[in-house]
Amino acid sequence: MAFDINMIKRVYKKYPKAVEAARKATGKPLTLSEKILYTHLWNGNTTKLFKRGEDYVDFAPDRVAMQDATAQMALLQFMQAGKSKVAVPSTAHADHLIQAKFGASKDLQEGINQNNEVFNFLSSVCNKYGIGFWKPGAGIIHQVVLENYAFPGGMMIGTDSHTVNAGGLGMIAIGVGGADAVDVMAGMPWELKFPKLIGVILTGNLNGWTAPKDVILKVAGIVSAKGGTGSIVEYFGEGAISLSATGKGTICNMGAEIGATTSTFGYDKSIERYLRSTGRNDVADAANEIKEHLTGDAEVYANPDKYFDQVIEINLDELTPHLNGPFTPDLATPVSEMNEKATKNGWPLDVEWALIGSCTNSSYEDLTRAASIVEDAVNKGIEPKAKLGINPGSEQVRYTAERDGLIDTFNKFESTKIFTNACGPCIGQWDREGSEKEEKNSIVHSFNRNFAKRADGNPNTHAFVASPEMVAAVAISGRLDFNPITDTLTNENGDQVKLADPTGYELPPNGFDVEDNGYQAPAEDGSNVEVVVSPESNRLQLLTPFNPWDGENITGAKLLIKAEGKCTTDHISMAGPWLRYRGHLDNISNNCLIGAVNAFGGKTNSVVSQIDGTTDEVPNIARQYKDAGITSIVVGDHNYGEGSSREHAAMEPRHLGVMAVIVKSFARIHETNLKKQGMLGLTFVNESDYDLIKEDDTFNFTDLNSFEDGKQLTLEIVHTNGLTDTILLNHTYNETQIDWFKAGSALNLIREENN
Ligand code: MIC
Ligand code: SF4
């Protein structure tokens, strides 16, 4: 039986009426995305049409998921909300903190030893508040969610940007900061600007070396890293139906890399097969009863231009394998053009490591297709040139893969390392030998993100994203520009041989199996469970509420840093070794903005104090301003805060005394995180005003006391030569969000309401 089947049945019961009401209110046939959104309105069935991209709407998500690196902060906040139990089914997953080094069993034990305090904290908070806990080694949050919790037509939020993976089962699943999760777990509505809709028609069928990954690598190339911002991407067409459910998950997962709010697919036979194969006949049967509501209306898919804000068409017959990178996931290069592009750009052609895994591509199907390439190479007597590392997505996948001989196949290459069922190298939890030398090199992986330093901390590692089968082929050839469709390799007899096309199983022919899936159910009554946080701990720290706004204009503020170019959440609050401080706000604040490039001088983590002229690291200067009672601001470029959902990227500057972040444009989750933490997230009305900002300017807000929905704010920039520029700033705060600012944070408001 599926988890929470009664909740799923309750949701399905609402569908027919809610969809009918939405059709009436909108006066048109509906996309799947609209059906799910309108069925999950906080205020019940709709009588009005929401304006896409404009109206803030309150939703009632069905469930919440959190992973260990974000759950700590989310749950520390939840503990302040004054509730005894979560209001909707929720889970936490221990997957981000385990380092990959020697291989699964040793690494897992080491991970548990190193993070014991945090895992115990999570386990006891979950136990207390009714949250399911997936222990270290159980798997990566999004694969575990896909296998156990995702259901067609459902809505969930998760404190991780790749929560969107569950779109593969036809959900609207959205990545959020911890404070948003707290709202939903505390039984309050969750607010989102009604998204725009991008329709992607998939025609034809995947064949040969082309995989679901290539669909999203191609989409990322077309749409760019910020092109999906504020939109839901809905895939449909015969090509969509032909993809496996986990393949659909891969595509939805990487929708985060184009900034999309989420992505989704209509309920179909492959989703049904996946539900049944993962032990959820009850969900499949319930979905079948209302299946016409779990996909877009036929008129919509027949005339997509009429119903979507943007339509993209991809013919799977013509799609070819891609490698995206380096340093950004939207730099798409067809494998056949890699040689030319890499040579022109000086990307190292020799590849040292090829990694398969991450929440994006760690399903049973992914492993079988990659294993088929390894098997073929072994049979043809080809020795791999690069090392192969594999992180299975869940214990269920790993156990089944081992039973079916796939792990043995990978191990036929002497250098293969099977790492823990966890994020591992995808989030910098990788003790890669020699990375400290910072040599220029290339790696290939099936992950979703490839920002600088992300995998191994080396800024000169050029990481490229590809499908698991392509990663296996690159591992064997050791070349970035290897095109398995046309190129040959020399085998042990000196013969030229070609690799056969990958083959695989959508689902395990003998079914999934697992001995211990790593799940810990919460106590029925958690009131006696004690959660202890030691005041001496350097991993965990209880939160102190941020100060409310004093009602005065912010004046005399100094510039902490003007960030130039790409400034992702990895730049603002780096992961890797810093993940250990995710539950300790003061300690993790020591990584605040250390990856951002200072527009003055072009260096990272080097800014000048306007108090005494010294040059120092960003967090030190921020603390200097804070100690002196001076407010600081941060200025940034486009798509500021792209990437992760980690609210640390907002809480750290807030903790260090930054009150405003002024940029050319924001990534969605980060903008919300800033608002939730009581900060000002503002954008330049004239982008070129970015150029007016000098290192030693002083900043005065002049009309904060009339901060209102829809009204621009004014900023006075006083230069040291005595001249002043006055500029206008846009914001997207509604009245409630302005109240968060006034209260000092959204959580302060919840707390006030509960007292
Ligand atoms: C990531 O892929 O960047 C992460 C680590 O999973 C983050 C969450 C985090 O920072 O903990 C994400 O994608 O939201
Ligand atoms: Fe983990 Fe990587 Fe997926 Fe983030 S993208 S959840 S770090 S596997």
Side-chain angles (χ1 to χ4, degrees):
M1 197 170 81
F3 286 98
D4 311 306
I5 184 69
N6 291 334
M7 174 272 281
I8 297 174
K9 287 189 173 156
R10 273 199 306 278
V11 173
Y12 284 174
K13 212 161 155 214
K14 287 194 295 189
Y15 254 86
K17 278 206 182 113
V19 168
E20 209 26 62
R23 270 204 206 100
K24 217 160 139 207
T26 57
K28 65 171 196 69
L30 299 173
T31 60
L32 168 64
S33 311
E34 289 166 305
K35 289 183 187 178
I36 304 178
L37 293 169
Y38 279 107
T39 307
H40 286 85
L41 297 177
W42 178 259
N43 291 324
N45 294 346
T46 190
T47 47
K48 74 175 255 220
L49 160 81
F50 293 112
K51 282 202 213 84
R52 299 180 194 164
E54 277 181 38
D55 289 346
Y56 280 104
V57 180
D58 281 345
F59 291 101
D62 304 316
R63 60 179 316 122
V64 173
M66 295 161 279
Q67 42 87 346
D68 48 3
T70 50
Q72 298 171 60
M73 209 41 100
L75 293 171
L76 283 165
Q77 293 177 84
F78 182 74
M79 285 164 66
Q80 294 196 344
K83 301 282 174 186
S84 57
K85 205 172 178 155
V86 287
V88 301
S90 305
T91 52
H93 304 254
D95 56 358
H96 278 61
L97 299 176
I98 303 152
Q99 206 182 36
K101 185 171 186 182
F102 301 107
S105 52
K106 216 164 161 192
D107 293 348
L108 177 60
Q109 195 46 54
E110 189 60 16
I112 294 173
N113 297 346
Q114 294 282 328
N115 300 291
N116 209 7
E117 183 185 2
V118 169
F119 292 148
N120 285 342
F121 167 75
L122 290 176
S123 154
S124 61
V125 183
C126 288
N127 207 8
K128 183 169 183 66
Y129 295 107
I131 301 170
F133 180 54
W134 290 79
K135 294 185 273 191
I140 308 175
I141 174 171
H142 310 301
Q143 284 294 327
V144 174
V145 165
L146 204 68
E147 286 171 17
N148 296 281
Y149 299 111
F151 65 99
M155 178 188 268
M156 70 179 281
I157 59 164
T159 60
D160 188 284
S161 62
H162 293 108
T163 304
V164 294
N165 192 68
L169 284 199
M171 280 195 115
I172 291 286
I174 300 182
V176 298
D180 283 42
V182 170
D183 288 351
V184 176
M185 292 190 295
M188 293 172 20
W190 175 67
E191 187 190 58
L192 178 76
K193 195 179 266 182
F194 204 85
K196 294 196 178 170
L197 301 174
I198 300 178
V200 180
I201 319 170
L202 300 179
T203 57
N205 275 294
L206 291 177
N207 53 74
W209 280 88
T210 317
K213 186 75 155 198
D214 297 301
V215 175
I216 187 62
L217 294 180
K218 174 87 185 167
V219 170
I222 298 172
V223 177
S224 94
K226 64 177 196 318
T229 308
S231 302
I232 295 183
V233 185
E234 183 168 326
Y235 291 84
F236 58 94
E238 60 180 292
I241 293 169
S242 72
L243 299 170
S244 67
T246 50
K248 291 177 168 99
T250 298
I251 294 173
C252 292
N253 181 300
M254 263 195 82
E257 273 51 66
I258 57 166
T261 303
T262 191
S263 309
T264 195
F265 282 83
Y267 178 57
D268 61 17
K269 290 280 173 215
S270 72
I271 297 181
E272 180 179 353
R273 283 195 297 277
Y274 185 76
L275 284 170
R276 295 196 186 282
S277 163
T278 49
R280 288 174 288 170
N281 281 325
D282 45 2
V283 180
D285 292 342
N288 282 343
E289 280 178 30
I290 57 152
K291 66 173 182 241
E292 74 274 22
H293 299 309
L294 300 177
T295 187
D297 286 340
E299 298 94 303
V300 169
Y301 292 161
N303 301 292
D305 291 317
K306 239 170 109 180
Y307 301 106
F308 288 96
D309 298 290
Q310 185 189 344
V311 176
I312 296 169
E313 183 166 345
I314 296 178
N315 182 346
L316 301 184
D317 289 331
E318 290 164 9
L319 190 67
T320 59
H322 280 62
L323 290 174
N324 283 26
F327 307 123
T328 183
D330 61 343
L331 185 54
T333 306
V335 169
S336 54
E337 292 166 27
M338 186 45 96
N339 182 286
E340 198 191 323
K341 212 154 151 187
T343 315
K344 198 167 120 217
N345 290 296
W347 302 334
L349 285 170
D350 287 331
V351 172
E352 295 177 14
W353 268 97
L355 302 157
I356 295 173
S358 106
C359 54
T360 335
N361 274 116
S362 51
S363 66
Y364 185 83
E365 182 181 41
D366 290 331
L367 295 189
T368 55
R369 287 179 64 86
S372 80
I373 304 300
V374 172
E375 187 72 51
D376 186 48
V378 171
N379 291 340
K380 290 178 177 157
I382 315 170
E383 279 289 322
K385 300 281 186 321
K387 296 189 194 87
L388 185 61
I390 295 174
N391 286 82
S394 70
E395 175 57 11
Q396 174 161 269
V397 163
R398 192 211 61 79
Y399 187 93
T400 311
E402 178 156 52
R403 181 200 65 190
D404 296 351
L406 301 176
I407 303 285
D408 285 344
T409 303
F410 289 123
N411 280 329
K412 288 183 185 165
F413 287 164
E414 218 176 291
S415 59
T416 298
K417 284 237 158 54
I418 307 291
F419 296 125
T420 318
N421 314 317
C423 304
C426 178
I427 194 57
Q429 293 285 24
W430 184 24
D431 191 348
R432 179 180 179 191
E433 216 183 303
S435 63
E436 69 289 346
K437 291 190 224 138
E438 303 207 342
E439 283 164 353
K440 188 169 171 181
N441 75 101
S442 287
I443 63 171
V444 174
H445 60 58
S446 73
F447 313 160
N448 37 36
R449 296 200 170 133
N450 54 355
F451 305 139
K453 295 193 190 175
R454 182 171 167 101
D456 62 0
N458 173 0
N460 301 315
T461 292
H462 292 52
F464 294 83
V465 183
S467 68
E469 42 271 58
M470 264 310 297
V471 172
V474 173
I476 294 160
S477 65
R479 296 275 300 185
L480 189 63
D481 57 350
F482 176 65
N483 183 351
I485 301 170
T486 52
D487 297 352
T488 56
L489 296 164
T490 313
N491 74 3
E492 58 200 4
N493 304 324
D495 298 331
Q496 289 301 302
V497 289
K498 261 185 86 176
L499 291 175
D501 287 358
T503 56
Y505 290 101
E506 176 192 22
L507 293 162
N510 298 321
F512 280 109
D513 207 356
V514 66
E515 226 161 54
D516 173 6
N517 65 3
Y519 176 69
Q520 171 194 296
E524 270 304 316
D525 173 6
S527 54
N528 293 327
V529 177
E530 254 207 276
V531 178
V532 194
V533 174
S534 153
E536 272 85 57
S537 170
N538 63 21
R539 300 284 305 263
L540 295 164
Q541 182 186 42
L542 294 174
L543 293 169
T544 325
F546 293 129
N547 289 335
W549 179 52
D550 62 6
E552 300 293 325
N553 272 314
I554 296 171
T555 55
K558 293 292 176 191
L559 178 73
L560 177 58
I561 185 169
K562 174 169 161 178
E564 184 179 69
K566 211 174 184 54
C567 190
T568 71
T569 42
D570 278 11
H571 298 77
I572 307 172
S573 174
M574 220 164 256
W578 289 95
L579 287 176
R580 57 186 287 108
Y581 299 119
R582 282 290 185 85
H584 195 294
L585 183 55
D586 193 52
N587 283 347
I588 198 156
S589 294
N590 290 332
N591 81 356
C592 186
L593 283 155
I594 63 176
V597 176
N598 185 355
F600 305 103
K603 288 203 196 138
T604 53
N605 204 16
S606 168
V607 290
V608 176
S609 156
Q610 298 309 317
I611 296 181
D612 57 16
T614 50
T615 302
D616 203 343
E617 299 181 359
V618 183
N620 293 345
I621 300 291
R623 287 187 196 274
Q624 198 190 19
Y625 290 144
K626 187 179 176 187
D627 291 346
I630 297 172
T631 301
S632 53
I633 69 161
V634 169
V635 169
D637 224 304
H638 273 299
N639 210 19
Y640 182 91
E642 160 189 356
S644 157
S645 65
R646 61 191 77 143
E647 62 201 325
H648 305 77
M651 294 179 91
E652 293 174 27
R654 175 77 166 105
H655 174 66
L656 296 180
V658 176
M659 274 312 294
V661 178
I662 306 171
V663 299
K664 292 184 187 169
S665 62
F666 280 113
R668 174 188 63 87
I669 308 179
H670 186 62
E671 184 178 17
T672 308
N673 285 344
L674 290 171
K675 291 177 178 178
K676 286 247 142 148
Q677 301 303 335
M679 292 176 85
L680 294 171
L682 309 167
T683 52
F684 294 106
V685 170
N686 297 312
E687 272 176 23
S688 58
D689 288 348
Y690 172 91
D691 302 322
L692 294 176
I693 313 277
K694 305 268 181 312
E695 197 172 21
D696 47 7
D697 288 340
T698 301
F699 304 88
N700 302 318
F701 283 87
T702 57
D703 49 11
L704 257 190
N705 32 19
S706 60
F707 189 11
E708 272 173 28
D709 184 356
K711 185 170 161 278
Q712 294 170 331
L713 289 172
T714 315
L715 181 72
E716 196 179 76
I717 311 170
V718 184
H719 305 295
T720 43
N721 61 6
L723 296 178
T724 297
D725 282 301
T726 301
I727 65 168
L728 285 177
L729 301 169
N730 282 330
H731 71 81
T732 60
Y733 288 71
N734 59 23
E735 293 305 332
T736 316
Q737 297 168 342
I738 292 173
D739 286 343
W740 301 342
F741 167 73
K742 291 183 176 160
S745 72
L747 188 59
N748 285 356
L749 264 193
I750 303 186
R751 200 175 325 100
E752 273 169 29
E753 279 157 19
N754 280 332
N755 281 338

